[in-house]
Amino acid sequence: MNRKLIPALASLVLMYSATAWSQEATMATINGQDEYQLSGYIECGGEATSTIKPGERFIARELSHGEGYWEVYLKSGISGNIPRNRIRLLPDEPLAKLNYESCKKEWRKLRSKPIKNTDVVAYSAKKYHGVANYYKTLLQASEGDAKAFAQFDSLSHMDGEAGEGHEETTWVLLHVAGDDTFAKLLAGQSSNVREGYAEFFADFGTAFFSIPKAYIKLHFPKTYAILYGNAAQQTKADQKPIEEVKARAEAGDAESEVELGLSYTNGEGVAKDQVEAVKWFRKAAEQNYADAQNDLGASFYNGKGVAKDYVEAYEWLLLAARQGDEDAKKKVTELESKLTPEQIADGKTRARDFKPR
């Protein structure tokens, strides 16, 4: 994935992608009794220095370029590289919480500046999605403004560099808003929106860990409970066996076909397999099942399990929208800003000629 983002988030990108890593991060401290002068950078805020004192805890991960240096992340949010011989690992300690407070300061600066086309996220949000001031929206959402959060969520289907940058910012917003505020924002959303965030946070890896759910459970327990708690609290008797879902899906029950597709998407009862998920979404979509048509259209929109195809996405989303699916209606509007008049006409023709099986 291309992580080229706006300048304001350049240092954030470095943490995720500038250097590959060879193992999951762990907590560590300085080896020896001498302080260490760290020269590095602070998230969203440029270069910075810090004195690491003996006994101070920080996150550390081995770099893969074989030069004997490890990247460290201090509780202050400053990151940099330290020789391996100056680090003592503490593998039994849970990872500390990442610090993105400098990003909120940067958002305050950027909200009053003109938006340039080089700022791909904010520019796309304004030009194509009607969010006039991306950074003002971020600040308001981080302070618990439900309307601003809805605007932020409306950008979740941006594609290309803008979409990638927005994904990174979703992770930052969780930290800047904090557990109480973010959990309250999620509580006011539909189940579909919460499911989307649950899937995103479950899959969103960083340079420090590839599976974030344990980290979210530790540092954002209220958010974790809203996103994953209900499923975790179900008893085995309450959960529908996957074999039963498969049997009904194979018999042609559209609702079960969607349920099975979501199981493959989320890896619940079966191994994650987005290609298999799309297969079951299509079966239900071809029966004119609106939820499946929306899921299938989103799959083509994002290229998940299938090659990205905006016209194909438009066809299925139109079919779902015509049945009253509000999420599909929103996506149809977004797609129409990306398609040519010829592509729109093609998609409408396909939707008009659609015949349920």
Side-chain angles (χ1 to χ4, degrees), residues 6 9 107 115 119 121-123 125 131-139 152 155 158 162 165-167 169-170:
I6 58 177
L9 292 177
W107 294 346
I115 295 174
D119 186 341
V121 183
Y123 182 79
V131 178
N133 191 318
Y134 185 68
Y135 299 106
K136 181 179 179 181
T137 299
L138 286 175
L139 286 168
F152 177 82
L155 302 172
M158 289 197 293
H166 185 70
E167 285 183 353
T169 307
T170 301

mmCIF file with all atom_site columns, all heavy atoms in Angstrom, residues 6 9 107 115 119 121-123 125 131-139 152 155 158 162 165-167 169-170:
data_model
loop_
_atom_site.group_PDB
_atom_site.id
_atom_site.type_symbol
_atom_site.label_atom_id
_atom_site.label_alt_id
_atom_site.label_comp_id
_atom_site.label_asym_id
_atom_site.label_entity_id
_atom_site.label_seq_id
_atom_site.pdbx_PDB_ins_code
_atom_site.Cartn_x
_atom_site.Cartn_y
_atom_site.Cartn_z
_atom_site.occupancy
_atom_site.B_iso_or_equiv
_atom_site.pdbx_formal_charge
_atom_site.auth_seq_id
_atom_site.auth_comp_id
_atom_site.auth_asym_id
_atom_site.auth_atom_id
_atom_site.pdbx_PDB_model_num
ATOM 1   N N   . ILE A 1 6   ? -0.040  13.594 3.057  1.00 0.00 ? 6   ILE A N   1
ATOM 2   C CA  . ILE A 1 6   ? 0.174   15.019 3.124  1.00 0.00 ? 6   ILE A CA  1
ATOM 3   C C   . ILE A 1 6   ? 1.361   15.322 4.025  1.00 0.00 ? 6   ILE A C   1
ATOM 4   O O   . ILE A 1 6   ? 1.710   14.553 4.912  1.00 0.00 ? 6   ILE A O   1
ATOM 5   C CB  . ILE A 1 6   ? -1.085  15.713 3.663  1.00 0.00 ? 6   ILE A CB  1
ATOM 6   C CG1 . ILE A 1 6   ? -1.458  15.162 5.044  1.00 0.00 ? 6   ILE A CG1 1
ATOM 7   C CG2 . ILE A 1 6   ? -2.233  15.530 2.709  1.00 0.00 ? 6   ILE A CG2 1
ATOM 8   C CD1 . ILE A 1 6   ? -2.634  15.848 5.664  1.00 0.00 ? 6   ILE A CD1 1
ATOM 9   N N   . LEU A 1 9   ? 1.352   14.821 7.822  1.00 0.00 ? 9   LEU A N   1
ATOM 10  C CA  . LEU A 1 9   ? 1.392   13.477 8.385  1.00 0.00 ? 9   LEU A CA  1
ATOM 11  C C   . LEU A 1 9   ? 2.623   12.706 7.926  1.00 0.00 ? 9   LEU A C   1
ATOM 12  O O   . LEU A 1 9   ? 2.679   11.500 8.055  1.00 0.00 ? 9   LEU A O   1
ATOM 13  C CB  . LEU A 1 9   ? 0.126   12.710 7.982  1.00 0.00 ? 9   LEU A CB  1
ATOM 14  C CG  . LEU A 1 9   ? -1.167  13.225 8.614  1.00 0.00 ? 9   LEU A CG  1
ATOM 15  C CD1 . LEU A 1 9   ? -2.357  12.442 8.072  1.00 0.00 ? 9   LEU A CD1 1
ATOM 16  C CD2 . LEU A 1 9   ? -1.130  13.114 10.112 1.00 0.00 ? 9   LEU A CD2 1
ATOM 17  N N   . TRP A 1 107 ? -3.375  19.745 13.658 1.00 0.00 ? 107 TRP A N   1
ATOM 18  C CA  . TRP A 1 107 ? -4.707  19.968 13.087 1.00 0.00 ? 107 TRP A CA  1
ATOM 19  C C   . TRP A 1 107 ? -5.173  21.397 13.354 1.00 0.00 ? 107 TRP A C   1
ATOM 20  O O   . TRP A 1 107 ? -5.803  22.009 12.492 1.00 0.00 ? 107 TRP A O   1
ATOM 21  C CB  . TRP A 1 107 ? -5.711  18.988 13.682 1.00 0.00 ? 107 TRP A CB  1
ATOM 22  C CG  . TRP A 1 107 ? -5.460  17.555 13.336 1.00 0.00 ? 107 TRP A CG  1
ATOM 23  C CD1 . TRP A 1 107 ? -4.631  17.075 12.362 1.00 0.00 ? 107 TRP A CD1 1
ATOM 24  C CD2 . TRP A 1 107 ? -6.024  16.403 13.984 1.00 0.00 ? 107 TRP A CD2 1
ATOM 25  N NE1 . TRP A 1 107 ? -4.650  15.697 12.362 1.00 0.00 ? 107 TRP A NE1 1
ATOM 26  C CE2 . TRP A 1 107 ? -5.485  15.255 13.335 1.00 0.00 ? 107 TRP A CE2 1
ATOM 27  C CE3 . TRP A 1 107 ? -6.913  16.218 15.034 1.00 0.00 ? 107 TRP A CE3 1
ATOM 28  C CZ2 . TRP A 1 107 ? -5.837  13.964 13.715 1.00 0.00 ? 107 TRP A CZ2 1
ATOM 29  C CZ3 . TRP A 1 107 ? -7.262  14.939 15.418 1.00 0.00 ? 107 TRP A CZ3 1
ATOM 30  C CH2 . TRP A 1 107 ? -6.735  13.813 14.768 1.00 0.00 ? 107 TRP A CH2 1
ATOM 31  N N   . ILE A 1 115 ? -6.503  25.101 1.747  1.00 0.00 ? 115 ILE A N   1
ATOM 32  C CA  . ILE A 1 115 ? -6.277  23.704 1.383  1.00 0.00 ? 115 ILE A CA  1
ATOM 33  C C   . ILE A 1 115 ? -5.695  23.652 -0.025 1.00 0.00 ? 115 ILE A C   1
ATOM 34  O O   . ILE A 1 115 ? -6.286  24.158 -0.974 1.00 0.00 ? 115 ILE A O   1
ATOM 35  C CB  . ILE A 1 115 ? -7.580  22.904 1.453  1.00 0.00 ? 115 ILE A CB  1
ATOM 36  C CG1 . ILE A 1 115 ? -8.075  22.860 2.906  1.00 0.00 ? 115 ILE A CG1 1
ATOM 37  C CG2 . ILE A 1 115 ? -7.377  21.486 0.925  1.00 0.00 ? 115 ILE A CG2 1
ATOM 38  C CD1 . ILE A 1 115 ? -9.435  22.216 3.069  1.00 0.00 ? 115 ILE A CD1 1
ATOM 39  N N   . ASP A 1 119 ? -2.293  18.513 -0.539 1.00 0.00 ? 119 ASP A N   1
ATOM 40  C CA  . ASP A 1 119 ? -2.840  17.913 0.680  1.00 0.00 ? 119 ASP A CA  1
ATOM 41  C C   . ASP A 1 119 ? -3.977  16.994 0.245  1.00 0.00 ? 119 ASP A C   1
ATOM 42  O O   . ASP A 1 119 ? -5.151  17.358 0.258  1.00 0.00 ? 119 ASP A O   1
ATOM 43  C CB  . ASP A 1 119 ? -3.346  19.023 1.597  1.00 0.00 ? 119 ASP A CB  1
ATOM 44  C CG  . ASP A 1 119 ? -3.794  18.514 2.955  1.00 0.00 ? 119 ASP A CG  1
ATOM 45  O OD1 . ASP A 1 119 ? -4.064  17.308 3.072  1.00 0.00 ? 119 ASP A OD1 1
ATOM 46  O OD2 . ASP A 1 119 ? -3.872  19.321 3.893  1.00 0.00 ? 119 ASP A OD2 1
ATOM 47  N N   . VAL A 1 121 ? -5.668  14.359 1.183  1.00 0.00 ? 121 VAL A N   1
ATOM 48  C CA  . VAL A 1 121 ? -6.821  13.963 1.977  1.00 0.00 ? 121 VAL A CA  1
ATOM 49  C C   . VAL A 1 121 ? -7.805  15.118 2.120  1.00 0.00 ? 121 VAL A C   1
ATOM 50  O O   . VAL A 1 121 ? -8.985  15.004 1.784  1.00 0.00 ? 121 VAL A O   1
ATOM 51  C CB  . VAL A 1 121 ? -6.384  13.454 3.368  1.00 0.00 ? 121 VAL A CB  1
ATOM 52  C CG1 . VAL A 1 121 ? -7.606  12.978 4.148  1.00 0.00 ? 121 VAL A CG1 1
ATOM 53  C CG2 . VAL A 1 121 ? -5.380  12.316 3.246  1.00 0.00 ? 121 VAL A CG2 1
ATOM 54  N N   . ALA A 1 122 ? -7.317  16.258 2.617  1.00 0.00 ? 122 ALA A N   1
ATOM 55  C CA  . ALA A 1 122 ? -8.190  17.411 2.824  1.00 0.00 ? 122 ALA A CA  1
ATOM 56  C C   . ALA A 1 122 ? -8.753  17.938 1.510  1.00 0.00 ? 122 ALA A C   1
ATOM 57  O O   . ALA A 1 122 ? -9.925  18.342 1.428  1.00 0.00 ? 122 ALA A O   1
ATOM 58  C CB  . ALA A 1 122 ? -7.429  18.516 3.559  1.00 0.00 ? 122 ALA A CB  1
ATOM 59  N N   . TYR A 1 123 ? -7.938  17.914 0.477  1.00 0.00 ? 123 TYR A N   1
ATOM 60  C CA  . TYR A 1 123 ? -8.380  18.414 -0.835 1.00 0.00 ? 123 TYR A CA  1
ATOM 61  C C   . TYR A 1 123 ? -9.489  17.524 -1.402 1.00 0.00 ? 123 TYR A C   1
ATOM 62  O O   . TYR A 1 123 ? -10.504 18.011 -1.892 1.00 0.00 ? 123 TYR A O   1
ATOM 63  C CB  . TYR A 1 123 ? -7.189  18.454 -1.794 1.00 0.00 ? 123 TYR A CB  1
ATOM 64  C CG  . TYR A 1 123 ? -7.513  18.998 -3.162 1.00 0.00 ? 123 TYR A CG  1
ATOM 65  C CD1 . TYR A 1 123 ? -7.615  20.370 -3.388 1.00 0.00 ? 123 TYR A CD1 1
ATOM 66  C CD2 . TYR A 1 123 ? -7.714  18.132 -4.239 1.00 0.00 ? 123 TYR A CD2 1
ATOM 67  C CE1 . TYR A 1 123 ? -7.917  20.864 -4.651 1.00 0.00 ? 123 TYR A CE1 1
ATOM 68  C CE2 . TYR A 1 123 ? -8.012  18.625 -5.508 1.00 0.00 ? 123 TYR A CE2 1
ATOM 69  C CZ  . TYR A 1 123 ? -8.102  19.991 -5.710 1.00 0.00 ? 123 TYR A CZ  1
ATOM 70  O OH  . TYR A 1 123 ? -8.407  20.483 -6.955 1.00 0.00 ? 123 TYR A OH  1
ATOM 71  N N   . ALA A 1 125 ? -11.432 15.514 0.327  1.00 0.00 ? 125 ALA A N   1
ATOM 72  C CA  . ALA A 1 125 ? -12.605 15.621 1.198  1.00 0.00 ? 125 ALA A CA  1
ATOM 73  C C   . ALA A 1 125 ? -13.453 16.829 0.821  1.00 0.00 ? 125 ALA A C   1
ATOM 74  O O   . ALA A 1 125 ? -14.693 16.760 0.813  1.00 0.00 ? 125 ALA A O   1
ATOM 75  C CB  . ALA A 1 125 ? -12.162 15.722 2.653  1.00 0.00 ? 125 ALA A CB  1
ATOM 76  N N   . VAL A 1 131 ? -16.825 17.926 2.485  1.00 0.00 ? 131 VAL A N   1
ATOM 77  C CA  . VAL A 1 131 ? -16.311 18.260 3.819  1.00 0.00 ? 131 VAL A CA  1
ATOM 78  C C   . VAL A 1 131 ? -15.366 19.440 3.651  1.00 0.00 ? 131 VAL A C   1
ATOM 79  O O   . VAL A 1 131 ? -14.210 19.278 3.248  1.00 0.00 ? 131 VAL A O   1
ATOM 80  C CB  . VAL A 1 131 ? -15.605 17.054 4.478  1.00 0.00 ? 131 VAL A CB  1
ATOM 81  C CG1 . VAL A 1 131 ? -15.038 17.449 5.838  1.00 0.00 ? 131 VAL A CG1 1
ATOM 82  C CG2 . VAL A 1 131 ? -16.590 15.900 4.637  1.00 0.00 ? 131 VAL A CG2 1
ATOM 83  N N   . ALA A 1 132 ? -15.860 20.641 3.949  1.00 0.00 ? 132 ALA A N   1
ATOM 84  C CA  . ALA A 1 132 ? -15.150 21.871 3.588  1.00 0.00 ? 132 ALA A CA  1
ATOM 85  C C   . ALA A 1 132 ? -13.811 22.019 4.290  1.00 0.00 ? 132 ALA A C   1
ATOM 86  O O   . ALA A 1 132 ? -12.850 22.510 3.710  1.00 0.00 ? 132 ALA A O   1
ATOM 87  C CB  . ALA A 1 132 ? -16.029 23.085 3.884  1.00 0.00 ? 132 ALA A CB  1
ATOM 88  N N   . ASN A 1 133 ? -13.728 21.608 5.563  1.00 0.00 ? 133 ASN A N   1
ATOM 89  C CA  . ASN A 1 133 ? -12.492 21.783 6.332  1.00 0.00 ? 133 ASN A CA  1
ATOM 90  C C   . ASN A 1 133 ? -12.190 20.492 7.081  1.00 0.00 ? 133 ASN A C   1
ATOM 91  O O   . ASN A 1 133 ? -12.742 20.232 8.151  1.00 0.00 ? 133 ASN A O   1
ATOM 92  C CB  . ASN A 1 133 ? -12.630 22.957 7.303  1.00 0.00 ? 133 ASN A CB  1
ATOM 93  C CG  . ASN A 1 133 ? -11.302 23.353 7.922  1.00 0.00 ? 133 ASN A CG  1
ATOM 94  O OD1 . ASN A 1 133 ? -10.502 22.499 8.297  1.00 0.00 ? 133 ASN A OD1 1
ATOM 95  N ND2 . ASN A 1 133 ? -11.058 24.649 8.036  1.00 0.00 ? 133 ASN A ND2 1
ATOM 96  N N   . TYR A 1 134 ? -11.344 19.686 6.497  1.00 0.00 ? 134 TYR A N   1
ATOM 97  C CA  . TYR A 1 134 ? -11.030 18.359 7.053  1.00 0.00 ? 134 TYR A CA  1
ATOM 98  C C   . TYR A 1 134 ? -10.484 18.464 8.467  1.00 0.00 ? 134 TYR A C   1
ATOM 99  O O   . TYR A 1 134 ? -10.866 17.696 9.346  1.00 0.00 ? 134 TYR A O   1
ATOM 100 C CB  . TYR A 1 134 ? -10.018 17.684 6.135  1.00 0.00 ? 134 TYR A CB  1
ATOM 101 C CG  . TYR A 1 134 ? -9.671  16.257 6.491  1.00 0.00 ? 134 TYR A CG  1
ATOM 102 C CD1 . TYR A 1 134 ? -10.615 15.246 6.368  1.00 0.00 ? 134 TYR A CD1 1
ATOM 103 C CD2 . TYR A 1 134 ? -8.388  15.908 6.907  1.00 0.00 ? 134 TYR A CD2 1
ATOM 104 C CE1 . TYR A 1 134 ? -10.295 13.929 6.663  1.00 0.00 ? 134 TYR A CE1 1
ATOM 105 C CE2 . TYR A 1 134 ? -8.058  14.595 7.202  1.00 0.00 ? 134 TYR A CE2 1
ATOM 106 C CZ  . TYR A 1 134 ? -9.017  13.606 7.086  1.00 0.00 ? 134 TYR A CZ  1
ATOM 107 O OH  . TYR A 1 134 ? -8.699  12.303 7.382  1.00 0.00 ? 134 TYR A OH  1
ATOM 108 N N   . TYR A 1 135 ? -9.618  19.434 8.707  1.00 0.00 ? 135 TYR A N   1
ATOM 109 C CA  . TYR A 1 135 ? -8.958  19.526 10.013 1.00 0.00 ? 135 TYR A CA  1
ATOM 110 C C   . TYR A 1 135 ? -9.889  20.061 11.094 1.00 0.00 ? 135 TYR A C   1
ATOM 111 O O   . TYR A 1 135 ? -9.829  19.637 12.245 1.00 0.00 ? 135 TYR A O   1
ATOM 112 C CB  . TYR A 1 135 ? -7.685  20.362 9.893  1.00 0.00 ? 135 TYR A CB  1
ATOM 113 C CG  . TYR A 1 135 ? -6.725  19.725 8.924  1.00 0.00 ? 135 TYR A CG  1
ATOM 114 C CD1 . TYR A 1 135 ? -6.530  20.251 7.654  1.00 0.00 ? 135 TYR A CD1 1
ATOM 115 C CD2 . TYR A 1 135 ? -6.065  18.552 9.247  1.00 0.00 ? 135 TYR A CD2 1
ATOM 116 C CE1 . TYR A 1 135 ? -5.677  19.634 6.744  1.00 0.00 ? 135 TYR A CE1 1
ATOM 117 C CE2 . TYR A 1 135 ? -5.215  17.917 8.352  1.00 0.00 ? 135 TYR A CE2 1
ATOM 118 C CZ  . TYR A 1 135 ? -5.034  18.468 7.107  1.00 0.00 ? 135 TYR A CZ  1
ATOM 119 O OH  . TYR A 1 135 ? -4.202  17.850 6.204  1.00 0.00 ? 135 TYR A OH  1
ATOM 120 N N   . LYS A 1 136 ? -10.777 20.957 10.715 1.00 0.00 ? 136 LYS A N   1
ATOM 121 C CA  . LYS A 1 136 ? -11.802 21.408 11.662 1.00 0.00 ? 136 LYS A CA  1
ATOM 122 C C   . LYS A 1 136 ? -12.705 20.244 12.033 1.00 0.00 ? 136 LYS A C   1
ATOM 123 O O   . LYS A 1 136 ? -13.075 20.072 13.203 1.00 0.00 ? 136 LYS A O   1
ATOM 124 C CB  . LYS A 1 136 ? -12.616 22.546 11.045 1.00 0.00 ? 136 LYS A CB  1
ATOM 125 C CG  . LYS A 1 136 ? -13.689 23.104 11.972 1.00 0.00 ? 136 LYS A CG  1
ATOM 126 C CD  . LYS A 1 136 ? -14.440 24.240 11.305 1.00 0.00 ? 136 LYS A CD  1
ATOM 127 C CE  . LYS A 1 136 ? -15.533 24.790 12.220 1.00 0.00 ? 136 LYS A CE  1
ATOM 128 N NZ  . LYS A 1 136 ? -16.280 25.888 11.566 1.00 0.00 ? 136 LYS A NZ  1
ATOM 129 N N   . THR A 1 137 ? -13.043 19.429 11.046 1.00 0.00 ? 137 THR A N   1
ATOM 130 C CA  . THR A 1 137 ? -13.865 18.243 11.290 1.00 0.00 ? 137 THR A CA  1
ATOM 131 C C   . THR A 1 137 ? -13.163 17.281 12.241 1.00 0.00 ? 137 THR A C   1
ATOM 132 O O   . THR A 1 137 ? -13.783 16.744 13.169 1.00 0.00 ? 137 THR A O   1
ATOM 133 C CB  . THR A 1 137 ? -14.181 17.530 9.962  1.00 0.00 ? 137 THR A CB  1
ATOM 134 O OG1 . THR A 1 137 ? -14.906 18.420 9.113  1.00 0.00 ? 137 THR A OG1 1
ATOM 135 C CG2 . THR A 1 137 ? -15.003 16.269 10.194 1.00 0.00 ? 137 THR A CG2 1
ATOM 136 N N   . LEU A 1 138 ? -11.869 17.073 12.041 1.00 0.00 ? 138 LEU A N   1
ATOM 137 C CA  . LEU A 1 138 ? -11.112 16.190 12.927 1.00 0.00 ? 138 LEU A CA  1
ATOM 138 C C   . LEU A 1 138 ? -11.113 16.702 14.361 1.00 0.00 ? 138 LEU A C   1
ATOM 139 O O   . LEU A 1 138 ? -11.319 15.939 15.307 1.00 0.00 ? 138 LEU A O   1
ATOM 140 C CB  . LEU A 1 138 ? -9.662  16.077 12.432 1.00 0.00 ? 138 LEU A CB  1
ATOM 141 C CG  . LEU A 1 138 ? -9.412  15.235 11.184 1.00 0.00 ? 138 LEU A CG  1
ATOM 142 C CD1 . LEU A 1 138 ? -7.950  15.339 10.772 1.00 0.00 ? 138 LEU A CD1 1
ATOM 143 C CD2 . LEU A 1 138 ? -9.795  13.784 11.421 1.00 0.00 ? 138 LEU A CD2 1
ATOM 144 N N   . LEU A 1 139 ? -10.871 17.997 14.520 1.00 0.00 ? 139 LEU A N   1
ATOM 145 C CA  . LEU A 1 139 ? -10.842 18.582 15.862 1.00 0.00 ? 139 LEU A CA  1
ATOM 146 C C   . LEU A 1 139 ? -12.188 18.440 16.552 1.00 0.00 ? 139 LEU A C   1
ATOM 147 O O   . LEU A 1 139 ? -12.265 18.046 17.726 1.00 0.00 ? 139 LEU A O   1
ATOM 148 C CB  . LEU A 1 139 ? -10.437 20.052 15.781 1.00 0.00 ? 139 LEU A CB  1
ATOM 149 C CG  . LEU A 1 139 ? -8.963  20.318 15.489 1.00 0.00 ? 139 LEU A CG  1
ATOM 150 C CD1 . LEU A 1 139 ? -8.740  21.783 15.135 1.00 0.00 ? 139 LEU A CD1 1
ATOM 151 C CD2 . LEU A 1 139 ? -8.102  19.938 16.690 1.00 0.00 ? 139 LEU A CD2 1
ATOM 152 N N   . PHE A 1 152 ? -16.733 12.781 9.226  1.00 0.00 ? 152 PHE A N   1
ATOM 153 C CA  . PHE A 1 152 ? -15.486 12.031 9.131  1.00 0.00 ? 152 PHE A CA  1
ATOM 154 C C   . PHE A 1 152 ? -15.754 10.629 8.594  1.00 0.00 ? 152 PHE A C   1
ATOM 155 O O   . PHE A 1 152 ? -15.058 10.148 7.690  1.00 0.00 ? 152 PHE A O   1
ATOM 156 C CB  . PHE A 1 152 ? -14.823 11.955 10.506 1.00 0.00 ? 152 PHE A CB  1
ATOM 157 C CG  . PHE A 1 152 ? -13.564 11.131 10.540 1.00 0.00 ? 152 PHE A CG  1
ATOM 158 C CD1 . PHE A 1 152 ? -12.355 11.673 10.146 1.00 0.00 ? 152 PHE A CD1 1
ATOM 159 C CD2 . PHE A 1 152 ? -13.591 9.813  10.967 1.00 0.00 ? 152 PHE A CD2 1
ATOM 160 C CE1 . PHE A 1 152 ? -11.187 10.917 10.165 1.00 0.00 ? 152 PHE A CE1 1
ATOM 161 C CE2 . PHE A 1 152 ? -12.435 9.046  10.994 1.00 0.00 ? 152 PHE A CE2 1
ATOM 162 C CZ  . PHE A 1 152 ? -11.224 9.605  10.594 1.00 0.00 ? 152 PHE A CZ  1
ATOM 163 N N   . LEU A 1 155 ? -16.239 9.869  4.847  1.00 0.00 ? 155 LEU A N   1
ATOM 164 C CA  . LEU A 1 155 ? -15.062 9.843  3.986  1.00 0.00 ? 155 LEU A CA  1
ATOM 165 C C   . LEU A 1 155 ? -14.403 8.471  3.928  1.00 0.00 ? 155 LEU A C   1
ATOM 166 O O   . LEU A 1 155 ? -13.351 8.306  3.307  1.00 0.00 ? 155 LEU A O   1
ATOM 167 C CB  . LEU A 1 155 ? -14.043 10.870 4.471  1.00 0.00 ? 155 LEU A CB  1
ATOM 168 C CG  . LEU A 1 155 ? -14.539 12.319 4.534  1.00 0.00 ? 155 LEU A CG  1
ATOM 169 C CD1 . LEU A 1 155 ? -13.507 13.206 5.221  1.00 0.00 ? 155 LEU A CD1 1
ATOM 170 C CD2 . LEU A 1 155 ? -14.842 12.844 3.145  1.00 0.00 ? 155 LEU A CD2 1
ATOM 171 N N   . MET A 1 158 ? -13.216 6.967  0.492  1.00 0.00 ? 158 MET A N   1
ATOM 172 C CA  . MET A 1 158 ? -12.279 7.604  -0.432 1.00 0.00 ? 158 MET A CA  1
ATOM 173 C C   . MET A 1 158 ? -11.264 6.566  -0.885 1.00 0.00 ? 158 MET A C   1
ATOM 174 O O   . MET A 1 158 ? -10.909 5.652  -0.144 1.00 0.00 ? 158 MET A O   1
ATOM 175 C CB  . MET A 1 158 ? -11.555 8.775  0.261  1.00 0.00 ? 158 MET A CB  1
ATOM 176 C CG  . MET A 1 158 ? -12.434 9.971  0.527  1.00 0.00 ? 158 MET A CG  1
ATOM 177 S SD  . MET A 1 158 ? -11.486 11.493 0.879  1.00 0.00 ? 158 MET A SD  1
ATOM 178 C CE  . MET A 1 158 ? -10.723 11.078 2.430  1.00 0.00 ? 158 MET A CE  1
ATOM 179 N N   . ALA A 1 162 ? -5.805  9.468  -0.993 1.00 0.00 ? 162 ALA A N   1
ATOM 180 C CA  . ALA A 1 162 ? -6.704  10.103 -0.031 1.00 0.00 ? 162 ALA A CA  1
ATOM 181 C C   . ALA A 1 162 ? -7.292  9.066  0.923  1.00 0.00 ? 162 ALA A C   1
ATOM 182 O O   . ALA A 1 162 ? -7.369  9.289  2.132  1.00 0.00 ? 162 ALA A O   1
ATOM 183 C CB  . ALA A 1 162 ? -7.813  10.846 -0.764 1.00 0.00 ? 162 ALA A CB  1
ATOM 184 N N   . GLY A 1 165 ? -4.574  7.833  3.355  1.00 0.00 ? 165 GLY A N   1
ATOM 185 C CA  . GLY A 1 165 ? -4.308  8.833  4.378  1.00 0.00 ? 165 GLY A CA  1
ATOM 186 C C   . GLY A 1 165 ? -5.422  8.904  5.400  1.00 0.00 ? 165 GLY A C   1
ATOM 187 O O   . GLY A 1 165 ? -5.175  9.067  6.606  1.00 0.00 ? 165 GLY A O   1
ATOM 188 N N   . HIS A 1 166 ? -6.661  8.764  4.932  1.00 0.00 ? 166 HIS A N   1
ATOM 189 C CA  . HIS A 1 166 ? -7.797  8.807  5.851  1.00 0.00 ? 166 HIS A CA  1
ATOM 190 C C   . HIS A 1 166 ? -7.786  7.607  6.791  1.00 0.00 ? 166 HIS A C   1
ATOM 191 O O   . HIS A 1 166 ? -8.152  7.722  7.966  1.00 0.00 ? 166 HIS A O   1
ATOM 192 C CB  . HIS A 1 166 ? -9.096  8.850  5.047  1.00 0.00 ? 166 HIS A CB  1
ATOM 193 C CG  . HIS A 1 166 ? -10.321 9.019  5.893  1.00 0.00 ? 166 HIS A CG  1
ATOM 194 N ND1 . HIS A 1 166 ? -10.610 10.198 6.546  1.00 0.00 ? 166 HIS A ND1 1
ATOM 195 C CD2 . HIS A 1 166 ? -11.335 8.157  6.199  1.00 0.00 ? 166 HIS A CD2 1
ATOM 196 C CE1 . HIS A 1 166 ? -11.751 10.059 7.211  1.00 0.00 ? 166 HIS A CE1 1
ATOM 197 N NE2 . HIS A 1 166 ? -12.197 8.828  7.023  1.00 0.00 ? 166 HIS A NE2 1
ATOM 198 N N   . GLU A 1 167 ? -7.369  6.444  6.292  1.00 0.00 ? 167 GLU A N   1
ATOM 199 C CA  . GLU A 1 167 ? -7.253  5.268  7.152  1.00 0.00 ? 167 GLU A CA  1
ATOM 200 C C   . GLU A 1 167 ? -6.261  5.518  8.292  1.00 0.00 ? 167 GLU A C   1
ATOM 201 O O   . GLU A 1 167 ? -6.526  5.181  9.449  1.00 0.00 ? 167 GLU A O   1
ATOM 202 C CB  . GLU A 1 167 ? -6.800  4.062  6.334  1.00 0.00 ? 167 GLU A CB  1
ATOM 203 C CG  . GLU A 1 167 ? -7.879  3.461  5.454  1.00 0.00 ? 167 GLU A CG  1
ATOM 204 C CD  . GLU A 1 167 ? -7.389  2.223  4.736  1.00 0.00 ? 167 GLU A CD  1
ATOM 205 O OE1 . GLU A 1 167 ? -6.188  1.915  4.818  1.00 0.00 ? 167 GLU A OE1 1
ATOM 206 O OE2 . GLU A 1 167 ? -8.224  1.564  4.088  1.00 0.00 ? 167 GLU A OE2 1
ATOM 207 N N   . THR A 1 169 ? -5.472  8.342  9.537  1.00 0.00 ? 169 THR A N   1
ATOM 208 C CA  . THR A 1 169 ? -6.020  9.342  10.434 1.00 0.00 ? 169 THR A CA  1
ATOM 209 C C   . THR A 1 169 ? -7.092  8.747  11.343 1.00 0.00 ? 169 THR A C   1
ATOM 210 O O   . THR A 1 169 ? -7.288  9.217  12.468 1.00 0.00 ? 169 THR A O   1
ATOM 211 C CB  . THR A 1 169 ? -6.591  10.522 9.627  1.00 0.00 ? 169 THR A CB  1
ATOM 212 O OG1 . THR A 1 169 ? -5.590  11.006 8.741  1.00 0.00 ? 169 THR A OG1 1
ATOM 213 C CG2 . THR A 1 169 ? -7.018  11.654 10.537 1.00 0.00 ? 169 THR A CG2 1
ATOM 214 N N   . THR A 1 170 ? -7.797  7.720  10.882 1.00 0.00 ? 170 THR A N   1
ATOM 215 C CA  . THR A 1 170 ? -8.769  7.046  11.741 1.00 0.00 ? 170 THR A CA  1
ATOM 216 C C   . THR A 1 170 ? -8.090  6.479  12.980 1.00 0.00 ? 170 THR A C   1
ATOM 217 O O   . THR A 1 170 ? -8.597  6.601  14.102 1.00 0.00 ? 170 THR A O   1
ATOM 218 C CB  . THR A 1 170 ? -9.469  5.911  10.962 1.00 0.00 ? 170 THR A CB  1
ATOM 219 O OG1 . THR A 1 170 ? -10.130 6.460  9.824  1.00 0.00 ? 170 THR A OG1 1
ATOM 220 C CG2 . THR A 1 170 ? -10.484 5.191  11.831 1.00 0.00 ? 170 THR A CG2 1
#
